[in-house]
Amino acid sequence: MPAPEPSHAAVVDLLGLVALGELLAFERMAVDARLAPDLRRRAALGEMAAAEIANYRRLADRLTALGMRPDEAMAPYVGPLQAYHDSTEPRDWAEAVTKAYVGDAVTDDFVREIAGALAEPDRRLVLDVLHDSSYADFALAEIRAAVGSDPRVAGRLSMWARRLVGEALSQAGRVAAAERGAFTALGARGGLDVPGLFQRLTVAHAERMTAAGLNN
Amino acid sequence: MPAPEPSHAAVVDLLGLVALGELLAFERMAVDARLAPDLRRRAALGEMAAAEIANYRRLADRLTALGMRPDEAMAPYVGPLQAYHDSTEPRDWAEAVTKAYVGDAVTDDFVREIAGALAEPDRRLVLDVLHDSSYADFALAEIRAAVGSDPRVAGRLSMWARRLVGEALSQAGRVAAAERGAFTALGARGGLDVPGLFQRLTVAHAERMTAAGLNN
């Protein structure tokens, strides 16, 4: 017997969370682009940012189609997501691309997990907002170049990545407290395994750090 | 007899200028979006910003097709365009939308003028990067709402708009000094009438200020 469809409220909750994540990631990357050492890299991070706001628009349109105002669906998460970005302001280009790399990848892992708990057309929609791998490739190449040009940078960026994950986990607790039952509802129907989710996200993050030449 | 085609160097010069204008307008709007009083407006300015970077990408691709690195084509204009943005940092949402409204419109007027001096496919390309009128409508509605809610705001925003134009004109002189002969070359073939251009831009700007409920 297939699991019952997730409730309308749970879907709205999750889409609102993902939509706000896209909107704030857009702003942060666009702001951080000014740290780029040259115009080519500055434009590249700007284009990564623009991809986020295009995804935001698709999620906002779906929320509207579901009869929910996007800003209302996002409102419960503004506090924790904004706090994450405010507490992890990059000081230079290497920190900015590391933040984009780590943040995009963890977001994608999270989005893939919740996609499994959704019915169509929302499952397809959230899978469509996964990041284009060309952006991760760009960020990864920038991190490797920074580490390669100065071995001490590896230590500094490794610490920075740990801080990013620490702040994200700390705010994830606030997100879980703010959501209005979506995770529990989806978990109860077997669609979202929250403790397993965090473990899988952490393992995948550690593998990516190794790939980037950083220590976990 | 039709005028001769503009030289390759002149086209590259003009496309580089427009491309950098788009890239910096993107960043500025994305940064200013954080001044929005609510998430709906914040996302709206973010989407205006994203339209700029999509245009940047089209211009950069054309420069590459012409055998020019986009960052090299843009480099001569970084000083004046960055100085314009640095000297006109909005302090609040009303100033941010006024800057977007004034800046987009003047840019569009300028782009329409230079389109007349270009041959295809560059003429079509620069006409395609003109702003969607829905964004101007949004900004205009926001300015009118700000003015309507407090009549003193009209005076402050009128002064602000005059400062925007003053700073832009001041940097336009530096742009003219930085460009490598494109304006002169296009002017010489009758395609770009620089003194008439500035007069037309100023008149059109004054009409828009009146439409927004501001004094010129």
Side-chain angles (χ1 to χ4, degrees):
Chain A
M1 193 182 84
E5 298 233 335
S7 77
H8 184 269
V11 172
V12 161
D13 244 23
L14 288 174
L15 295 183
L17 172 59
V18 178
L20 184 66
E22 298 281 349
L23 180 58
L24 297 191
F26 157 76
E27 281 181 14
R28 180 48 58 188
M29 282 186 200
V31 171
D32 292 348
R34 297 183 299 177
L35 296 169
D38 57 49
L39 285 175
R40 186 184 66 79
R41 291 178 169 88
R42 189 163 165 170
L45 197 62
E47 292 186 78
M48 285 178 74
E52 311 278 352
I53 197 107
N55 288 336
Y56 161 80
R57 169 47 48 200
R58 297 187 61 185
L59 293 157
D61 286 345
R62 175 64 182 152
L63 283 163
T64 304
L66 289 168
M68 186 71 173
R69 277 182 42 187
D71 54 342
E72 282 181 15
M74 297 189 289
Y77 309 113
V78 172
L81 266 63
Q82 188 70 58
Y84 167 73
H85 285 294
D86 289 347
S87 65
T88 56
E89 209 156 306
R91 285 166 307 175
D92 61 20
W93 174 245
E95 289 190 359
V97 289
T98 302
K99 181 172 173 181
Y101 177 70
V102 169
D104 278 7
V106 171
T107 302
D108 282 358
D109 286 347
F110 174 74
V111 164
R112 256 185 231 104
E113 295 264 355
I114 68 171
L118 294 171
E120 298 299 352
D122 298 303
R123 183 204 310 263
R124 186 70 252 161
L125 173 62
V126 302
L127 288 176
D128 276 354
V129 306
L130 293 177
H131 294 86
D132 185 302
S133 64
S134 68
Y135 297 126
D137 293 344
F138 168 78
L140 190 56
E142 291 295 310
I143 297 168
R144 284 184 178 146
V147 169
S149 71
D150 180 354
R152 285 168 307 178
V153 171
R156 182 165 70 81
L157 291 183
S158 300
M159 271 185 58
W160 170 243
R162 284 196 291 276
R163 215 182 108 207
L164 292 171
V165 172
E167 294 288 345
L169 285 177
S170 144
Q171 299 304 333
R174 289 182 63 199
V175 165
E179 59 93 19
R180 290 157 293 194
F183 293 176
T184 318
L186 293 171
R189 61 182 281 279
L192 198 62
D193 157 29
V194 175
L197 166 70
F198 279 110
Q199 204 198 332
R200 286 189 296 277
L201 294 188
T202 310
V203 169
H205 167 75
E207 287 168 0
R208 277 189 301 271
M209 289 300 93
T210 306
L214 304 180
N215 305 311
N216 198 47
Chain B
M1 193 180 85
E5 298 231 335
S7 76
H8 184 269
V11 171
V12 161
D13 244 23
L14 288 174
L15 295 183
L17 173 58
V18 178
L20 183 66
E22 298 282 349
L23 179 59
L24 297 191
F26 158 77
E27 281 181 15
R28 180 48 58 188
M29 284 187 199
V31 170
D32 292 348
R34 298 183 299 179
L35 295 169
D38 56 48
L39 284 175
R40 185 184 67 78
R41 291 178 169 88
R42 190 164 165 168
L45 197 62
E47 292 187 80
M48 284 178 75
E52 311 278 352
I53 197 110
N55 288 335
Y56 161 80
R57 170 46 48 201
R58 297 187 61 185
L59 293 157
D61 286 346
R62 175 64 181 152
L63 284 164
T64 305
L66 289 168
M68 186 72 174
R69 278 182 42 186
D71 53 343
E72 282 181 14
M74 296 190 290
Y77 309 114
V78 172
L81 267 64
Q82 188 69 59
Y84 166 74
H85 285 293
D86 289 347
S87 64
T88 56
E89 209 156 306
R91 285 166 309 176
D92 61 20
W93 175 244
E95 291 191 357
V97 288
T98 302
K99 180 172 175 181
Y101 177 70
V102 168
D104 277 7
V106 171
T107 302
D108 282 357
D109 286 346
F110 174 73
V111 164
R112 256 185 231 105
E113 295 264 354
I114 67 170
L118 293 173
E120 299 298 352
D122 299 302
R123 184 203 311 265
R124 186 70 252 160
L125 173 62
V126 301
L127 288 175
D128 276 355
V129 307
L130 294 176
H131 295 88
D132 186 302
S133 64
S134 67
Y135 296 127
D137 293 344
F138 168 77
L140 191 56
E142 291 295 310
I143 297 168
R144 285 186 178 143
V147 169
S149 70
D150 180 354
R152 286 168 306 177
V153 171
R156 182 164 71 80
L157 290 183
S158 299
M159 273 185 56
W160 170 242
R162 282 196 292 276
R163 215 182 109 209
L164 292 172
V165 171
E167 294 287 345
L169 284 178
S170 143
Q171 298 305 331
R174 289 182 63 199
V175 166
E179 60 93 16
R180 291 157 292 193
F183 293 176
T184 318
L186 293 170
R189 61 181 281 278
L192 198 64
D193 157 30
V194 175
L197 166 70
F198 279 111
Q199 203 198 333
R200 287 190 295 277
L201 294 188
T202 310
V203 169
H205 168 74
E207 287 168 359
R208 279 190 300 269
M209 290 300 92
T210 306
L214 303 180
N215 304 309
N216 197 48

